[in-house]
């Protein structure tokens, strides 16, 4: 393994941290049963709910695998089934090419759109949502081009609740149309200025028109969490009765909290029999958790975008949602999506919109699997599950333990000593760890620094020059090593 | 206002986007009542709960202001009080200088630690938590130095549940000690190897020792969500009875979801009378939402770090939590913290650990207040609350509306026309908007591009050369303008 001396923090695409880190051999991690097992029959009776959840599964391009016996692999999953929950039975509506196009930095040319659509399809999302063909000439042409790619994912476009837009949309060849209108009094007053009677009339006209073309149609309110609940449930019940495939709830301003989302979705679940989609903005950082709660309450479809790009700070990020759902049911998520493709997908979009993948991004943040504190390092080396709910190897990534810092512990150092095949007792390792901490109090030590110290300590012990606690002798040996290295460098120059 | 032609996406500290954006005059936004009003008596009876919540408020360095009559200012707040909820009555335990030091990139020298501590204090956090003085010599010296700064915030340090650590900690001059031990079977087996009887015995010894020194003490389990519930409640009840100030729940691996957090905190709230602190990792992106649910369930103290830095992808970020709590009760949060100082605090820490503030960061993400979609822009210009749950002016920030892109709408363009004091009819504005969309289908247009187009269109109309829909004449006028500009540039060169 190459060992550069420091982490490059500012490259466009982060590398994993190396420097002072110990890469951990993943082959010792507990082995997963093969994915095929995820298709075994569910054990929690949830499958019986398909009727209640309307067309879920039938709408997707492929029926999702049956619920896996999650308890078998995840000892911390809930012990009893929650019959409303779709945490192990959902579809993703990926909106990087619609909501994501509304991100301040986004400008996707046709070639980029096609690349992103193909990468999303390779990852395995069930739906890809595109900007309305009514937005501009090029938007229409791009929508038609993507429909012709023959992807596995179904292609949707997203339009205002208006017959003009609907007519243009159905001509593009999409598999479905997502219709939206603002229903909050705020939007009714300050945006379109229409009343609920007008909204209902138009909604029915547009839905019946789209359905007459034999493709899917969703009806969604905008700003649902600031809409009158009675208005909202009333229009959803109406469109459900005329056969809409899905109704959507949108937290357009990002104001909802998890319990509000749970409550609203749960209430709606009791009112309509069709599928329920949820679209959540991330202004207060709750979009992933809100999506999870929506699934728990019976939602069937979650809107995402890659890295969460969208209006303002964006919406539920695809990768973060995957992390959250993987934590709940790893086997189901692994069977459903090509997880090692996530990183490349995120890099593709990050490059297209000229942002960096955030350091704190779930899964692919460049230190998401780096462990630093001494007590963490010890436990991780014994059993990675102690401090990890996500297995890096499932995402094609690697775990690191950082040891050259003042919070380090002797167990992490011991692991490195073993990797270097040096023979030291535990007491000797504790002794040299104290020296690492002393040096790291002044400056974080690179892997080379740590390795040099370990080798010098080891040779001092081997030669009988060094015993436990003899810091001054260790200092002298280190000094001697450094001057010899310097001479070698000078001689070579 | 200066108008550079594009947004610098890769600078260390993002500037607000300008380029094709229209800055919106904030003076027209609804005016807030003065902060003083936030100190008026609460209307929801929550204050009566102080007894139930143990020492909350008394523990903090200043009693938090009374609950504000939130309904008066936030029409979308819950209509009825939730008697358990502390969403409008909480303390922040800011752990950038403890948890944050465990972030892969972090190395804080004494000067940096002091700068960060002062900035946190200026922002107004109630507690600052520091790395254990047992971690290293320098950690001890830094802890003592920060205790001597005379900050308003109380200073805590965080130690293992061990008498050696406790003895060192109480000598540093801290206002309190946060004691932690792993209680999950995972950690008991693979980390410290101790049983619950040993944990309980040691906890009592350490707590009584720290209390004998007249300072605060908190006892927290580690990995609480994977611990045996009966063990957990049993030890919390024990330490509550001997007079611990706070008990802590930690989602050490970031596996908890919002409803689990709510349920565990709520259960614990019924078992102990002391304060309840929560510490949440962000591996699945749920840390902010989980913190909010913990407060709803009766937690009193939330752990944060600036930008969320910590082990792996970190913990609940201070700024994100503020966004979430501000959305719930803006007056309370504004009265409690110096919100315009947030951005500088985040920049300080970002620089210290060499990361960029993520583009998707709540509040300070560089496009958090940028609106792009046409229908959004129209509504925002009518009333910002249509698409914003956070008021940028409360954070010393500015709102932008992006218009030079193919999703633009004529209402946003009209706003710019008015700012430039050009006289155009609505039909003329729609006509020139179509041209902007046509140009932006090829390349996003900068503010200068848009302004030039608007001025040329306007002068064409004024001179009588141009009428509605005469694209070819507009193209000719634009071409003429460009060649004249070019001549002027050449002449000046």
């Amino acid at each position: 393994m190459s060992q550069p001396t420091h982490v490059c923090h500012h490259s466009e695409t982060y590398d994993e941290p190396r420097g002072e880190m110990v890469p951990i051999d993943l082959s010792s991690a507990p082995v997963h049963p093969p994915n095929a097992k995820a298709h075994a029959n569910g054990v929690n009776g949830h499958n019986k709910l398909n009727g209640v959840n309307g067309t879920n599964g039938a709408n997707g391009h492929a029926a999702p695998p049956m619920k896996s016996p999650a308890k078998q692999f995840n000892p911390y999953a809930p012990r009893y089934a929650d019959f409303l929950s779709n945490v192990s039975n959902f579809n993703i509506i990926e909106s990087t090419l619609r909501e994501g196009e509304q991100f301040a930095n986004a400008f996707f040319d046709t070639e980029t759109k096609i690349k992103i659509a193909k990468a999303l399809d390779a990852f395995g999302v069930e739906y890809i949502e595109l900007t309305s063909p009514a937005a501009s000439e090029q938007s229409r042409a791009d929508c038609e081009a993507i429909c012709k790619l023959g992807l596995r994912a179904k292609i949707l476009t997203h339009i205002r609740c208006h017959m003009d837009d609907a007519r243009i949309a159905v001509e593009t060849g999409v598999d479905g149309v997502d219709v939206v209108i603002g229903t909050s009094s705020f939007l009714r007053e300050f945006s379109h200025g229409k009343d609920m009677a007008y909204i209902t009339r138009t909604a029915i006209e547009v839905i019946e028109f789209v359905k007459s073309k034999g493709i899917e149609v969703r009806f969604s309110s905008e700003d649902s969490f600031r809409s009158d609940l009675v208005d909202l449930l009333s229009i959803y019940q109406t469109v459900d009765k005329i056969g809409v495939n899905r109704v959507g709830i949108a937290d357009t301003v990002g104001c909802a909290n998890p319990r509000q989302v749970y409550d609203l979705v749960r209430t709606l679940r009791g009112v309509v029999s069709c599928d329920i989609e949820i679209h959540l903005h991330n202004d207060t950082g709750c979009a992933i958790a809100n999506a999870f709660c929506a699934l728990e309450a019976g939602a069937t479809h979650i809107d995402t975008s890659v890295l969460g790009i969208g209006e303002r700070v964006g919406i539920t990020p695809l990768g973060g949602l995957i992390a959250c759902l993987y934590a709940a049911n790893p086997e189901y998520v692994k069977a459903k999506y090509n997880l090692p493709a996530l990183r490349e997908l995120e890099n593709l979009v990050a490059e297209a919109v000229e942002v960096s993948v955030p350091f704190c991004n779930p899964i692919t943040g460049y230190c998401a699997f780096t462990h630093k504190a001494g007590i963490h390092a010890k436990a991780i080396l014994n059993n990675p599950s102690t401090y990890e709910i996500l297995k890096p190897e499932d995402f094609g990534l690697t775990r690191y333990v950082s040891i050259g810092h003042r919070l380090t512990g002797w167990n992490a150092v011991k692991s490195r000593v073993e990797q270097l095949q040096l023979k030291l007792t535990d007491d000797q390792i504790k002794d040299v760890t104290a020296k690492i901490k002393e040096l790291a109090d002044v400056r974080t030590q690179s892997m080379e620094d740590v390795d040099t110290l370990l080798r010098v300590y080891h040779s001092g012990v081997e030669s009988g020059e060094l015993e436990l606690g003899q810091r001054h002798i260790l200092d002298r040996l280190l000094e001697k090593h450094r001057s010899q290295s310097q001479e070698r460098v000078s001689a070579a120059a």
Side-chain angles (χ1 to χ4, degrees), chain A:
Chain A
M1 192 190 95
S2 76
Q3 291 169 354
T5 54
H6 65 282
V7 182
C8 171
H9 303 308
H10 298 283
S11 59
E12 295 295 275
T13 307
Y14 284 131
D15 282 318
E16 277 99 352
R18 294 197 186 95
E20 71 278 22
M21 314 296 174
V22 179
I24 302 301
D25 180 9
L26 294 171
S27 61
S28 65
V31 177
H32 276 291
N35 281 351
K37 288 210 180 161
H39 294 273
N41 278 331
V43 293
N44 56 9
H46 186 94
N47 293 323
K48 295 176 195 156
L49 274 183
N50 277 347
V52 175
N53 285 342
T55 53
N56 186 25
N59 274 351
H61 68 281
M66 300 290 188
K67 283 194 133 187
S68 64
K71 267 185 64 193
Q72 191 181 332
F73 314 123
N74 179 6
Y76 297 102
R79 204 178 299 185
Y80 298 104
D82 178 342
F83 291 101
L84 270 185
S85 178
N86 280 323
V87 163
S88 301
N89 186 27
F90 57 83
N91 290 288
I92 289 175
I93 296 184
E94 227 298 330
S95 192
T96 300
L97 295 176
R98 196 280 293 176
E99 176 72 49
E101 238 201 329
Q102 292 172 219
F103 176 57
N105 279 16
F107 180 86
F108 300 135
D109 58 23
T110 309
E111 190 192 340
T112 306
K113 283 186 188 173
I114 289 174
K115 257 194 218 165
I116 292 173
K118 285 181 172 172
L120 288 169
D121 193 52
F123 180 76
V125 300
E126 289 80 8
Y127 291 85
I128 296 173
E129 188 181 64
L130 307 177
T131 294
S132 170
S136 76
E137 241 339 279
Q138 193 61 49
S139 300
R140 196 183 53 73
D142 292 344
C143 184
E144 287 172 358
I146 290 171
C147 288
K148 286 186 187 128
L149 292 177
L151 302 180
R152 254 170 40 105
K154 286 196 177 186
I155 307 299
L156 303 173
T157 189
H158 179 266
I159 64 166
R160 293 170 295 189
C161 187
H162 197 288
M163 282 300 288
D164 292 350
D165 286 14
R167 281 188 203 98
I168 299 171
V170 299
E171 295 301 314
T172 57
V174 290
D175 299 301
V177 177
D178 288 344
V179 177
V180 70
I181 192 159
T183 45
S184 71
S185 63
F186 257 60
L187 290 181
R188 275 149 60 194
E189 182 175 352
F190 297 108
S191 182
H192 54 68
K194 307 292 194 265
D195 63 17
M196 288 307 294
Y198 172 88
I199 291 173
T200 308
R201 214 163 47 237
T202 315
I204 293 172
E205 187 183 6
V206 169
I207 292 165
E208 292 192 328
F209 170 72
V210 176
K211 277 181 65 74
S212 76
K213 301 292 172 178
I215 60 177
E216 280 186 34
V217 58
R218 177 213 70 182
F219 174 82
S220 179
S221 60
E222 202 186 358
D223 204 7
S224 317
F225 290 87
R226 303 194 300 177
S227 299
D228 182 277
L229 180 64
V230 181
D231 284 350
L232 211 59
L233 296 178
S234 161
I235 192 165
Y236 285 139
Q237 191 169 51
T238 302
V239 297
D240 183 42
K241 278 185 187 147
I242 64 165
V244 80
N245 295 76
R246 291 187 304 285
V247 289
I249 290 179
D251 180 14
T252 307
V253 296
C255 68
N257 64 57
R259 294 209 304 146
Q260 283 177 314
V261 172
Y262 186 87
D263 290 348
L264 182 56
V265 174
R266 192 185 161 135
T267 302
L268 181 59
R269 181 70 288 164
V271 168
V272 299
S273 62
C274 62
D275 283 346
I276 298 176
E277 173 178 345
I278 188 121
H279 179 84
L280 298 155
H281 278 262
N282 206 21
D283 297 72
T284 70
C286 295
I288 296 170
N290 285 350
F292 187 85
C293 288
L295 287 179
E296 286 192 308
T300 55
H301 293 66
I302 306 286
D303 287 10
T304 67
S305 72
V306 178
L307 295 171
I309 62 169
E311 282 284 337
R312 307 186 308 280
V313 298
I315 63 164
T316 308
L318 175 65
L321 181 70
I322 290 291
C324 184
L325 293 168
Y326 171 104
N329 191 345
E331 296 310 315
Y332 177 70
V333 172
K334 278 163 65 183
K336 206 168 155 71
Y337 302 108
N338 177 10
L339 300 184
L342 178 64
R343 188 193 175 120
E344 205 177 323
L345 174 60
E346 288 187 344
N347 287 342
L348 171 65
V349 172
E351 199 178 323
V353 299
E354 297 182 313
V355 300
S356 297
V357 173
F359 72 91
C360 52
N361 209 42
I363 302 170
T364 59
Y366 86 104
C367 50
F369 298 109
T370 297
H371 305 274
K372 186 165 169 188
I375 52 169
H376 288 214
K378 174 183 169 184
I380 281 286
L381 293 165
N382 279 335
N383 181 337
S385 298
T386 46
Y387 284 101
E388 271 172 9
I389 197 68
L390 310 165
K391 290 186 196 306
E393 62 269 32
D394 284 347
F395 300 89
L397 300 170
T398 306
R399 175 183 301 117
Y400 290 87
V401 174
S402 163
I403 63 171
H405 56 84
R406 62 183 165 210
L407 307 176
T408 199
W410 73 275
N411 285 282
V413 175
K414 184 177 182 176
S415 155
R416 186 62 185 161
V417 166
E418 286 164 359
Q419 284 179 339
L420 296 176
Q421 299 186 300
L422 304 176
K423 283 202 190 321
L424 292 174
T425 65
D426 284 357
D427 281 343
Q428 287 164 343
I429 292 168
K430 286 175 188 170
D431 192 36
V432 71
T433 301
K435 185 68 192 176
I436 294 174
K437 288 165 81 88
E438 182 193 317
L439 292 170
D441 243 354
V442 182
R443 177 178 71 76
T444 296
Q445 302 290 295
S446 72
M447 184 67 101
E448 282 87 340
D449 294 334
V450 172
D451 286 356
T452 300
L453 176 57
L454 294 177
R455 287 182 202 282
V456 169
Y457 188 94
H458 180 257
S459 69
V461 167
E462 290 282 293
S463 67
E465 287 174 274
L466 186 63
E467 286 177 25
L468 283 184
Q470 295 180 319
R471 294 279 171 92
H472 57 288
I473 297 181
L474 178 55
D475 285 340
R476 186 164 48 74
L477 291 175
L478 277 172
E479 194 49 50
K480 191 173 142 201
H481 172 84
R482 283 200 194 101
S483 57
Q484 283 173 350
S485 304
Q486 195 54 46
E487 274 168 33
R488 279 196 299 274
V489 171
S490 303

